[in-house]
Amino acid sequence: MFDFSKLNLGVDGDSITAGEQWSYHVYKDLGFASHHNVAVGSSVWYKRKFTKNGVTVETQDYDSPDFAGISDGWEPTDDMNEMQKRMNNCAVVHIQKFISEVKSGAYPAPDVFVFAMGTNDEAQYIGNAEFALEGKDADINNTYTEAGAMRWCIQTIMTEYPTARVFVCSPIQTGMPNHNRKVEYSIENMKKICGGMSVQFIDCFHNSGICEKFEIEGGTGRYLKDGLHPDVPGQTLEGKYIGKEIRNNMF
């Protein structure tokens, strides 16, 4: 049995990962020494640009002098400061924040890092895996698609923490068939990025035990409380699956 008691766990994701959900079960079940989770609800992989009433708001870097913060908001708003915070809510900024917090001494460097993003990504921003994998360097300018942001985030963590094992989890199935079809399309790109970066892909969509047939869009099903977010049994089930995959693939 692999001993995780001296290893530190780092995690990024969206509302399905934020706080003490599936990753907390992984942390407790495998006995990690620490759990550093920078997931934020409503987040996406990629940087964004938004224009309203002639004003353009673009994702800031975490170390920008005028960094506005990060918001998990999703309801309609005319507040441009709030929109700036929403544009900052992406994996690219989360990873910049994660590294900054480790450098400050607030958290230890990770020995295992798990990404669990993509639920909120829009189909038109998925991008092309082959293009995203070109070249030796991960260009921050190519992070406006899911594929480019994935490559940048993975490579940045692998460069900053060269001994850490990196895992990428796909989104789970929801109670919404149309949403699930978009996720399945995204998964093909995600697999290619993971293969190109030589990191472990964990297929929560097909193998976690959470199935669209037993979930209700906007209502409570077997494991989802609203057709999208797992309840405690769903969080536990997803955590046990991801924990098993991490345990079985540590070497």
Side-chain angles (χ1 to χ4, degrees):
M1 178 70 71
F2 197 93
D3 181 12
F4 290 87
S5 65
K6 293 181 174 61
L7 303 184
N8 301 297
L9 175 64
V11 181
D12 187 26
D14 47 41
S15 60
I16 293 172
T17 299
E20 296 185 352
Q21 299 192 75
W22 67 260
S23 68
Y24 186 75
H25 290 284
V26 172
Y27 157 64
K28 297 298 288 185
D29 290 350
L30 296 184
F32 278 99
S34 69
H35 176 220
H36 182 189
N37 184 359
V38 292
V40 181
S42 304
S43 61
V44 297
W45 273 102
Y46 45 87
K47 298 176 79 173
R48 291 170 286 181
K49 185 183 292 187
F50 173 83
T51 300
K52 186 171 184 178
N53 300 326
V55 178
T56 299
V57 180
E58 189 169 2
T59 302
Q60 299 171 305
D61 288 320
Y62 185 71
D63 61 359
S64 297
D66 58 344
F67 185 70
I70 301 171
S71 172
D72 65 355
W74 56 273
E75 295 181 336
T77 181
D78 292 321
D79 185 334
M80 297 307 288
N81 185 58
E82 169 64 15
M83 285 306 305
Q84 179 65 75
K85 293 179 180 180
R86 294 183 187 184
M87 293 298 100
N88 293 342
N89 189 16
C90 65
V92 174
V93 177
H94 295 182
I95 294 311
Q96 294 171 338
K97 177 177 183 284
F98 182 95
I99 291 170
S100 176
E101 290 174 345
V102 172
K103 287 182 175 178
S104 75
Y107 294 92
D111 300 289
V112 174
F113 194 96
V114 186
F115 291 97
M117 303 286 293
T119 296
N120 302 309
D121 291 5
E122 297 182 51
Q124 64 265 37
Y125 298 117
I126 288 174
N128 180 273
E130 287 81 5
F131 176 79
L133 288 167
E134 288 181 357
K136 298 288 188 183
D137 299 319
D139 188 346
I140 191 70
N141 296 313
N142 292 336
T143 54
Y144 287 82
T145 66
E146 180 185 80
M150 276 189 69
R151 189 265 172 93
W152 186 90
C153 289
I154 293 168
Q155 188 160 344
T156 298
I157 287 292
M158 294 175 75
T159 301
E160 191 73 25
Y161 312 111
T163 62
R165 285 296 308 280
V166 177
F167 296 83
V168 176
C169 298
S170 76
I172 57 174
Q173 292 186 36
T174 72
M176 301 169 282
N178 287 339
H179 179 271
N180 292 341
R181 281 190 282 274
K182 183 268 295 186
V183 170
E184 286 196 281
Y185 172 67
S186 173
I187 284 173
E188 294 310 307
N189 245 13
M190 295 176 75
K191 287 179 178 178
K192 291 176 183 177
I193 296 292
C194 289
M197 297 304 298
S198 193
V199 300
Q200 193 75 35
F201 179 76
I202 300 177
D203 191 347
C204 295
F205 188 90
H206 296 104
N207 300 318
S208 69
I210 298 174
C211 175
E212 174 261 323
K213 305 306 179 189
F214 303 100
E215 305 302 338
I216 302 169
E217 182 172 355
T220 302
R222 179 176 289 182
Y223 289 115
L224 305 180
K225 56 190 174 184
D226 55 6
L228 177 64
H229 300 91
D231 54 18
V232 173
Q235 295 164 16
T236 304
L237 181 69
E238 186 179 7
K240 287 187 178 300
Y241 170 64
I242 295 171
K244 172 186 71 70
E245 291 296 295
I246 292 172
R247 184 187 65 239
N248 291 349
N249 287 286
M250 288 296 290
F251 53 83

